[in-house]
Amino acid sequence: MIERRPTQVDVAREAGVSRQTVSLVTRDDPRVSDHSRHAVLAAMEKLGYRPNVAARALAAHRTGFVGISLSDLVNPFHGELIELIRCHCEAQGLVPFIAPVGQDAADEKVAIERLLEMNVDGLILISPMADDESLDRIGSQVPTVVVTRNAGPDSVDLVHTDDRAGARAVVGELMASGYRPVVYLGVDRPVSGDSSRARIEGYRSILAEAGYEPRVEMVSPGEVGRALGRVVQEFGNGFGLCCHNDLIALEAIGHLEVFGLRPGRDVGVTGFDNSGISGYPGIQLTTVDQSTAAMARRAVDLLSERMGGRAEPVDVVMPARLVTRATSGRTGYLR
Amino acid sequence: MIERRPTQVDVAREAGVSRQTVSLVTRDDPRVSDHSRHAVLAAMEKLGYRPNVAARALAAHRTGFVGISLSDLVNPFHGELIELIRCHCEAQGLVPFIAPVGQDAADEKVAIERLLEMNVDGLILISPMADDESLDRIGSQVPTVVVTRNAGPDSVDLVHTDDRAGARAVVGELMASGYRPVVYLGVDRPVSGDSSRARIEGYRSILAEAGYEPRVEMVSPGEVGRALGRVVQEFGNGFGLCCHNDLIALEAIGHLEVFGLRPGRDVGVTGFDNSGISGYPGIQLTTVDQSTAAMARRAVDLLSERMGGRAEPVDVVMPARLVTRATSGRTGYLR
DNA sequence: GTGAAAGCGCTAACAA
DNA sequence: TTGTTAGCGCTTTCAC
């Protein structure tokens, strides 16, 4: 039922040339006569020849593969990012593969290890949980770009949004709309250089400047209710809720409605990521846009450069853009 | 900066054994003395040895890789499914990789082609767009399981939910709550055996039994507004909206609120997938549960069996379970 | 422009 | 239990 795959030998026999000529054709080498090339291509087509990547990798010491590690597949922001990265990889002749990561840093390590085992030429790590030492080990083995982190070892490049500024922007917006106090609802990711930390830092800084005490509630996705209950109990209404990302904000909005609190009216709510759903009518979440497309492009470009031999680390900071919608209260009440 | 990776030769020298012994240890072969095994493992650890998968694939004619093709990374249902598939692959000693697919069938073909090139031992295709002929070509090259489709060639196995029954259940629920007419809001995927078709068929069948005319509106994600506008214009309120999946339902709910229509009260709305967000308080979407965990497990099991030599096609139908929440109106109005 | 030869790092059958 | 011997399918000098 499952037949043997044709090899270059089969193609060569079919085309009436030597096997080496076939190899040259696959690599687009110019020193093949038009006639031979044509015969080879026709034979490949006829036989359904597909190069054996394992053999090529073994002989050529490269694969053209780019490994992508991605933990949170449920976050639509990541989905958008991956699709854009894929497009830019295509354009650069790189072949992207995703290793699904499980829950924790240990799972992530396994996933990255596997990408290394399959001889990827480069690595794009999206919101990795690994510590700097692990990142350094990885980066010194293969060109690596880390996306959404603002710090890391010199062996990797960094692409991230100005999370601090983004957080300051949304918190500023909530305060300008009159919400007090502004509470931060975040995820607990004790990873150096992680976006969650930068956002909290931005939140703290702008509150400090305005002379307010910070109040940070750490939650896991899916468990926003309890934390929010505490906040409602303590402050009633009129407070602002600066959420780590759009998903948490959506969950918070759901809980607020149960408490009878209308987002953008009784309570100000903001997210982060400007993911597709945040702009839906009926949701209209005020959030921060991360210029996802530019991030994706820069990440792939940096990787190409690293693969091309650059050794000095590069850190690209993308602008954070406030997207003001209904949930922060100033553009008209929706609900 | 980037040092050469150690090979079995290096490990053998370090451990003071022959290279072949190292090979045996990597394959967990029992006929190695405890002493040698220990020395080899220590040497591997010390050198940071990692097997070269390309070389292994070339020699052993298998990789242990399972390729997963996945078009819609933004749909959280797919994210959940992938994570479950990953877990079961681990348990079976299989290594999952995802090839990100672009927008259309041509992109998908490229992505699957790449998985084949990297010598995956098996393929799990999630909601593929390929036609039956393409699927047959794929399935006759490598063991393949197609998830979420109810028809396909004999060379592939099928795992899918009873979409017809699921659609009948939600439409029945909407009608029992008194919504008339019940409109279907679906995506246009002209793929044989696709879940979208089965759901529409279920919708039509139950409407026909009750003596109503069907009304199917096809939309693309992100463009629900226009179609919904037509429906509202025509029927005012009191109608039911059976949406192809939760994402579309959420988008529809957003638009309904702009029209001043409250889901579960003025209009009945249902989704499909029972994805995490559908149960959020404040959303409370009536939907259909697809027993995602069981689907994932069966898919991986079927793949193992195929890889083990089974040639007869298997078609597994998972039960569709109605999850009644607020948006279909009978469990108390939320909004 | 084409062919010959060597070898990438590993597995697998067999012999010792 | 360990070593020997062939390759797997391809790229890459280097001659021709």
Side-chain angles (χ1 to χ4, degrees), chain A:
Chain A
M1 179 197 93
I2 293 186
E3 66 266 20
R4 190 180 67 84
R5 256 167 60 172
T7 73
Q8 289 188 345
V9 174
D10 302 312
V11 174
R13 191 185 317 111
E14 177 74 27
V17 300
S18 78
R19 193 171 60 73
Q20 294 73 348
T21 305
V22 176
S23 175
L24 291 179
V25 172
T26 64
R27 284 174 281 147
D28 278 332
D29 195 295
R31 51 187 183 180
V32 183
S33 69
D34 274 4
H35 180 257
S36 297
R37 157 168 288 116
H38 211 75
V40 168
L41 291 175
M44 283 179 174
E45 175 68 22
K46 179 175 173 197
L47 268 48
Y49 170 78
R50 193 180 308 112
N52 184 324
V53 173
R56 168 177 294 174
L58 199 54
H61 304 284
R62 40 180 195 73
T63 53
F65 291 168
V66 171
I68 302 173
S69 85
L70 177 59
S71 48
D72 188 1
L73 268 166
V74 174
N75 188 337
F77 170 66
H78 288 163
E80 296 166 16
L81 192 56
I82 290 282
E83 171 57 13
L84 291 159
I85 287 176
R86 186 193 66 82
C87 289
H88 288 105
C89 282
E90 303 293 348
Q92 304 252 2
L94 299 171
V95 178
F97 284 110
I98 303 171
V101 169
Q103 308 301 327
D104 52 32
D107 286 339
E108 178 182 272
K109 188 175 167 159
V110 170
I112 293 175
E113 201 72 21
R114 284 173 177 169
L115 289 171
L116 293 176
E117 280 177 12
M118 67 178 278
N119 298 300
V120 294
D121 290 344
L123 227 36
I124 296 180
L125 309 181
I126 298 178
S127 300
M129 296 170 268
D131 57 33
D132 280 5
E133 193 189 334
S134 308
L135 282 186
D136 190 36
R137 273 196 313 100
I138 295 163
S140 47
Q141 287 177 65
V142 65
T144 301
V145 176
V146 172
V147 179
T148 77
R149 244 164 92 165
N150 62 37
D154 282 355
S155 53
V156 307
D157 291 335
L158 263 29
V159 181
H160 62 98
T161 297
D162 189 344
D163 291 291
R164 187 174 184 279
R168 289 177 59 92
V170 279
V171 174
E173 177 69 17
L174 286 171
M175 297 209 299
S177 299
Y179 295 107
R180 296 287 186 286
V182 175
V183 176
Y184 190 93
L185 212 58
V187 292
D188 201 6
R189 279 175 55 105
V191 173
S192 110
D194 193 75
S195 61
S196 64
R197 297 195 154 183
R199 291 176 197 174
I200 292 174
E201 211 276 301
Y203 161 80
R204 286 184 189 278
S205 73
I206 191 168
L207 251 63
E209 287 166 20
Y212 291 101
E213 281 297 305
R215 165 68 178 269
V216 175
E217 289 279 343
M218 288 303 189
V219 297
S220 321
E223 294 176 3
V224 166
R226 279 234 316 279
L228 203 50
R230 286 196 297 272
V231 173
V232 170
Q233 176 132 35
E234 193 169 338
F235 303 116
N237 66 25
F239 60 89
L241 218 48
C242 174
C243 301
H244 170 73
N245 66 21
D246 290 351
L247 273 187
I248 302 227
L250 287 178
E251 197 177 343
I253 288 175
H255 280 93
L256 287 173
E257 294 188 348
V258 173
F259 290 122
L261 297 172
R262 285 151 300 180
R265 196 158 175 177
D266 308 314
V267 174
V269 181
T270 63
F272 213 109
D273 289 347
N274 193 24
S275 51
I277 198 172
S278 64
Y280 279 12
I283 296 199
Q284 289 297 320
L285 180 66
T286 290
T287 185
V288 175
D289 188 276
Q290 302 211 43
S291 22
T292 323
M295 273 179 95
R297 194 170 54 70
R298 291 296 273 140
V300 177
D301 286 348
L302 288 180
L303 190 61
S304 291
E305 293 169 24
R306 274 267 183 196
M307 297 192 322
R310 172 166 58 69
E312 314 75 49
V314 171
D315 180 357
V316 175
V317 185
M318 311 298 300
R321 186 173 58 85
L322 177 67
V323 179
T324 309
R325 296 204 186 94
T327 59
S328 59
R330 289 212 291 192
T331 59
Y333 305 135
L334 177 71
R335 293 147 205 267

Side-chain angles (χ1 to χ4, degrees), chain B:
Chain B
M1 179 196 93
I2 293 186
E3 66 265 21
R4 191 181 66 83
R5 259 168 58 172
T7 73
Q8 289 187 345
V9 174
D10 302 312
V11 174
R13 192 185 316 114
E14 177 73 28
V17 301
S18 78
R19 192 173 62 73
Q20 296 71 350
T21 306
V22 177
S23 176
L24 290 179
V25 171
T26 65
R27 284 175 280 147
D28 279 330
D29 195 296
R31 51 189 181 177
V32 183
S33 69
D34 274 4
H35 180 256
S36 296
R37 159 168 286 117
H38 212 74
V40 167
L41 291 175
M44 282 180 175
E45 174 70 20
K46 179 174 172 199
L47 268 47
Y49 170 78
R50 191 178 311 111
N52 183 325
V53 173
R56 168 177 295 174
L58 200 53
H61 304 284
R62 42 180 194 73
T63 53
F65 291 168
V66 171
I68 302 173
S69 85
L70 176 59
S71 50
D72 189 2
L73 270 167
V74 174
N75 189 337
F77 171 66
H78 288 162
E80 294 164 18
L81 191 57
I82 290 281
E83 171 57 14
L84 291 159
I85 287 176
R86 187 192 67 81
C87 289
H88 288 106
C89 282
E90 306 291 349
Q92 303 251 3
L94 298 171
V95 178
F97 285 108
I98 303 171
V101 169
Q103 307 303 325
D104 52 33
D107 286 338
E108 178 182 272
K109 188 176 167 158
V110 170
I112 293 174
E113 201 72 19
R114 285 173 176 168
L115 289 170
L116 294 176
E117 280 177 13
M118 68 180 278
N119 298 300
V120 294
D121 290 346
L123 228 35
I124 296 180
L125 309 181
I126 298 179
S127 300
M129 294 170 270
D131 56 33
D132 280 6
E133 192 188 335
S134 308
L135 282 186
D136 190 36
R137 274 197 310 102
I138 296 162
S140 46
Q141 287 176 68
V142 66
T144 302
V145 176
V146 172
V147 179
T148 76
R149 244 162 94 166
N150 63 37
D154 283 355
S155 53
V156 307
D157 290 337
L158 264 27
V159 181
H160 62 98
T161 297
D162 190 344
D163 290 292
R164 188 173 183 279
R168 288 177 60 91
V170 279
V171 174
E173 177 68 18
L174 286 170
M175 296 207 300
S177 299
Y179 296 106
R180 297 286 185 289
V182 174
V183 176
Y184 190 93
L185 212 56
V187 293
D188 198 7
R189 280 176 53 107
V191 174
S192 110
D194 193 75
S195 61
S196 64
R197 296 196 156 184
R199 291 176 197 174
I200 291 173
E201 211 278 299
Y203 160 81
R204 286 183 189 279
S205 73
I206 190 167
L207 251 62
E209 287 166 21
Y212 292 100
E213 281 297 305
R215 165 69 178 267
V216 175
E217 289 278 343
M218 288 302 188
V219 296
S220 319
E223 295 177 2
V224 167
R226 278 233 315 279
L228 203 50
R230 286 196 296 272
V231 174
V232 171
Q233 176 133 34
E234 191 168 341
F235 302 116
N237 65 26
F239 61 89
L241 218 48
C242 174
C243 302
H244 170 72
N245 65 21
D246 290 352
L247 272 188
I248 301 221
L250 287 178
E251 198 177 342
I253 288 175
H255 281 92
L256 287 173
E257 294 188 350
V258 174
F259 290 120
L261 297 172
R262 284 150 301 179
R265 197 156 174 179
D266 308 313
V267 174
V269 181
T270 62
F272 214 107
D273 290 347
N274 193 23
S275 50
I277 198 171
S278 64
Y280 279 10
I283 296 199
Q284 290 297 318
L285 180 66
T286 291
T287 185
V288 174
D289 188 277
Q290 301 211 44
S291 23
T292 323
M295 272 178 96
R297 193 171 54 70
R298 290 297 274 141
V300 177
D301 287 348
L302 288 180
L303 190 62
S304 292
E305 292 169 25
R306 275 266 183 195
M307 297 192 322
R310 172 167 56 69
E312 312 76 50
V314 171
D315 180 358
V316 175
V317 185
M318 310 298 301
R321 185 173 58 84
L322 177 67
V323 179
T324 309
R325 297 206 186 93
T327 59
S328 58
R330 288 212 291 190
T331 59
Y333 306 136
L334 177 70
R335 294 150 204 261

